[in-house]
Amino acid sequence: MLDDLRTLVEVESPSRDLDALRKSAGTVAAVIEGRLGGRAVLVESEGGPHVHWSGGGTPRVLVLGHHDTVFPLGTLARRPFRVEDGRATGPGVFDMLGGLVQAIHGLAALEDRSGVEILVTADEEVGSRSSRALIEERALACGAVLVVEGAADGGGVKTGRKGCGTFEVSVAGRASHAGLEPAAGVNALVEAAHQVLDIAALARPEVGTTVTPTVASAGTLDNVVPARATVVVDVRVESAEEKERIESAFAALAPHLDEAVLTVEGSVGRPPMPESAAAELFAVARRLLPGLEGRAVGGGSDGNFTAALGVSTLDGLGAVGGGAHADHEYLLVASMAERADLVAGLVDAIRSA
């Protein structure tokens, strides 16, 4: 498993870099074919190639992951793959190349791989726009989904996820000389400041809704009234009702300054993953691995899409470790075989149900 993990980590795969993703997809396909046989098909898309493999027979379970990472080219030179003191480190080991390797080796231990499909997408880290339809199609065809994203803190699986979305609010004002004619302008930065306060007030932490302005930009020169400004907002919700409320509230935003014009784009693109969607599979997982914990988390995954369809979905079956998206990302080597066995056991249980 460590050899295969090194192979995947050492092919960098930043989201949106189509050349890098094409090389990464080919490497993932080669690892799958080498361990499981058959043919892994590259499904081309505007987000990069997705990798799809089938063990044949009637589809029963979809193993779902992604091969894109958040790390830019060159990260590997600064932070190469290493195994020291029981930890594997390197870009993408936890999110989520370790989970892919574990799942592949878990399936390799099964004599019969019929009914199993693997889908490894190329754009999960940037919203899954090019892969969502394919994910939903295969999830509905299979009827059960095992998501091999990294485990929750302490090694638990993820039984619920918040819905996630990004909004961008653009302000169009009017430029003028900040010294000679400040009143002749319409200050887009001042309008954006009003909007930030209005937007932050939409949060309802008591029901799990967070609304967090994260990126802002405005202005050109220090003596020019800004004509344009933008604010980017991260949103997380736990229910469909809150998704609808937030989307309606963003659509209803109104300017505070005369002649300022607002444009709002975005949505809660990943629907919430309710814990009910994981209940049946989590019960099976706990029989296979007594003491396994389940946790609802704030981050989203492609499991949000499959759960929203009513397909039984269990997430966080991948690497045990931490530091997703950070330089201290790591995987605990001692847990790899246990997690591979867990995936294999779940596949057998689903097929025999």
Side-chain angles (χ1 to χ4, degrees):
M1 284 193 284
L2 289 172
D3 287 343
D4 286 349
L5 181 58
R6 177 188 292 275
T7 296
L8 295 187
V9 170
E10 291 184 346
V11 181
E12 294 181 285
S13 55
S15 306
R16 298 195 177 100
D17 187 324
L18 298 186
D19 289 337
L21 290 169
R22 195 165 290 109
K23 184 177 179 182
S24 173
T27 304
V28 170
V31 171
I32 291 174
E33 291 174 354
R35 299 298 176 188
L36 302 179
R39 179 167 176 255
V41 177
L42 300 190
V43 182
E44 296 292 338
S45 79
E46 63 182 13
H50 314 308
V51 183
H52 181 240
W53 176 88
S54 171
T58 302
R60 297 292 305 279
V61 55
L62 177 67
V63 176
L64 182 58
H66 63 89
H67 66 97
D68 63 318
T69 70
V70 300
F71 302 104
L73 290 179
T75 303
L76 186 67
R78 178 172 55 83
R79 195 156 55 85
F81 179 79
R82 287 196 177 96
V83 180
E84 295 177 350
D85 300 324
R87 293 187 175 200
T89 56
V93 291
F94 178 69
D95 188 11
M96 62 165 293
L97 302 177
L100 295 180
V101 169
Q102 291 167 185
I104 292 166
H105 280 259
L107 297 179
L110 299 174
E111 291 186 13
D112 177 12
R113 296 161 198 157
S114 63
V116 183
E117 296 189 13
I118 300 173
L119 179 59
V120 186
T121 64
D123 63 346
E124 192 274 345
E125 296 289 6
V126 289
S128 306
R129 290 177 179 82
S130 74
S131 58
R132 180 174 181 175
L134 179 59
I135 291 166
E136 293 177 337
E137 173 196 312
R138 298 323 305 159
L140 287 169
C142 291
V145 178
L146 305 177
V147 185
V148 290
E149 290 276 4
D153 289 346
V157 292
K158 297 172 180 177
T159 54
R161 286 184 179 272
K162 290 186 179 184
C164 310
T166 302
F167 292 82
E168 182 172 289
V169 179
S170 300
V171 182
R174 184 172 58 247
S176 66
H177 195 294
L180 298 177
E181 295 183 302
V186 177
N187 195 316
L189 177 55
V190 171
E191 179 61 51
H194 284 293
Q195 294 301 322
V196 165
L197 296 177
D198 291 348
I199 290 165
L202 297 175
R204 288 184 179 173
E206 68 276 10
V207 294
T209 301
T210 61
V211 182
T212 310
T214 54
V215 181
S217 63
T220 53
L221 295 170
D222 58 1
N223 62 353
V224 178
V225 171
R228 297 198 172 275
T230 60
V231 178
V232 179
V233 187
D234 178 276
V235 172
R236 311 278 165 148
V237 299
E238 289 186 359
S239 67
E241 293 76 16
E242 280 296 277
K243 174 183 183 295
E244 293 175 5
R245 181 184 72 84
I246 288 294
E247 289 178 341
S248 296
F250 270 91
L253 289 174
H256 290 251
L257 303 182
D258 291 341
E259 299 184 74
V261 177
L262 301 183
T263 303
V264 179
E265 296 180 339
S267 65
V268 180
R270 291 188 194 273
M273 174 183 166
E275 293 191 73
S276 58
E280 185 176 352
L281 289 176
F282 179 51
V284 176
R286 291 201 66 164
R287 289 198 297 271
L288 293 168
L289 191 59
L292 181 69
E293 293 186 354
R295 297 188 182 181
V297 298
S301 82
D302 288 334
N304 291 58
F305 298 134
T306 63
L309 296 172
V311 176
S312 187
T313 301
L314 186 59
D315 204 336
L317 289 163
V320 177
H325 298 190
D327 281 351
H328 65 278
E329 180 183 24
Y330 69 94
L331 171 155
L332 295 178
V333 175
S335 298
M336 294 183 76
E338 181 178 77
R339 301 300 273 210
D341 288 344
L342 178 58
V343 171
L346 282 164
V347 167
D348 261 348
I350 292 167
R351 292 186 304 183
S352 63

